[in-house]
Amino acid sequence: YLYNVMFFMFCSCISKSCFSLLTKYLLESYSHVSSFQLLAYRSVLMFAISIVLLGGFWKYLFPPSLFNSKKTLLGVIIRTIFAVFSISLLVYALKNMHVSDVYSIYYIYPAIILVLSLLFLKNEKFGYFDYICLFVCFIGALLIVKPTWLFTTDISNLETQSKKTFFFLFVIIASCMKAVEDIIVRGVGNEVPALLFPFVYSILGLIIFLLHLFLFVSIHYH
């Protein structure tokens, strides 16, 4: 079972990396393409994949436990909202920053998950090595961001550094939201099927991103 989980995690990391590189390539190669347009296309693709994967298992997608427990239903809703905002901030940051800088900061979210797990989850075990990694993650993020109040001494470079810090803040917020998403998924456990999360996300993404795309295209052509 452990090896199966590790394999799925590996596939997830590879897919996430390909998504990030392709997103950065499209945003740089086609300047007229907005981050919301890419997210709209992503939601359509995710919705189509969800439909194919679900096949004849629709009746298992919304189990009674989902509607019988307000906590579970609320968790799914909050997780979906956070996922939409998190990916929006991340893609917007990719449009204005280097991929290496974005993901060097974004991947502090495992450390944030550790903190949230201690606060909100029970029966989670942590060792000294986990706390060391937690400390190193935040120090590494601080060295990458280099906030103006701590590192900048050149007044002429202050405006540029402040602009970079602004986009770094977007990435940090996205990583915090991502951490909350994972904590919610862990808290919900096996009460709902795993495919429910991407399916509900794709529906909300279609509503938000396609609406923005429609308004953007309408204003652009008028």
Side-chain angles (χ1 to χ4, degrees), residues 10-183:
F10 176 76
C11 292
S12 177
C13 290
I14 294 296
S15 300
K16 185 73 172 181
S17 300
C18 293
F19 163 75
S20 303
L21 292 174
L22 182 60
T23 299
K24 184 63 176 179
Y25 169 76
L26 292 173
L27 290 173
E28 285 193 343
S29 301
Y30 304 95
S31 57
H32 62 282
V33 176
S34 69
S35 56
F36 268 88
Q37 285 176 291
L38 288 182
L39 289 170
Y41 302 143
R42 179 180 185 264
S43 297
V44 172
L45 180 60
M46 183 178 291
F47 181 76
I49 293 175
S50 298
I51 296 296
V52 172
L53 290 178
L54 286 170
F57 298 97
W58 283 94
K59 62 181 179 180
Y60 300 108
L61 187 62
F62 300 99
S65 60
L66 175 64
F67 301 100
N68 293 336
S69 173
K70 292 183 179 180
K71 181 180 178 181
T72 301
L73 181 60
L74 184 62
V76 173
I77 294 173
I78 294 176
R79 190 267 174 190
T80 303
I81 295 173
F82 271 51
V84 169
F85 279 98
S86 174
I87 195 64
S88 301
L89 291 173
L90 185 65
V91 172
Y92 184 72
L94 278 172
K95 188 176 179 67
N96 297 278
M97 297 170 58
H98 297 297
V99 174
S100 57
D101 288 339
V102 170
Y103 280 95
S104 295
I105 299 301
Y106 182 71
Y107 278 105
I108 65 171
Y109 84 81
I112 301 174
I113 290 176
L114 177 61
V115 175
L116 295 179
S117 298
L118 292 172
L119 295 175
F120 299 105
L121 295 181
K122 299 178 180 179
N123 301 322
E124 295 289 338
K125 298 180 180 179
F126 303 100
Y128 291 109
F129 186 71
D130 296 312
Y131 294 107
I132 293 173
C133 290
L134 173 65
F135 176 76
V136 171
C137 278
F138 285 112
I139 293 298
L142 183 66
L143 293 176
I144 294 171
V145 174
K146 294 182 179 179
T148 54
W149 55 270
L150 187 60
F151 287 91
T152 301
T153 56
D154 185 3
I155 302 300
S156 62
N157 193 40
L158 187 61
E159 183 177 353
T160 302
Q161 187 65 33
S162 297
K163 187 177 181 180
K164 289 177 61 179
T165 303
F166 175 75
F167 291 119
F168 275 126
L169 180 61
F170 276 15
V171 183
I172 293 173
I173 295 174
S175 65
C176 291
M177 288 184 171
K178 173 62 177 174
V180 174
E181 294 172 40
D182 290 352
I183 290 295

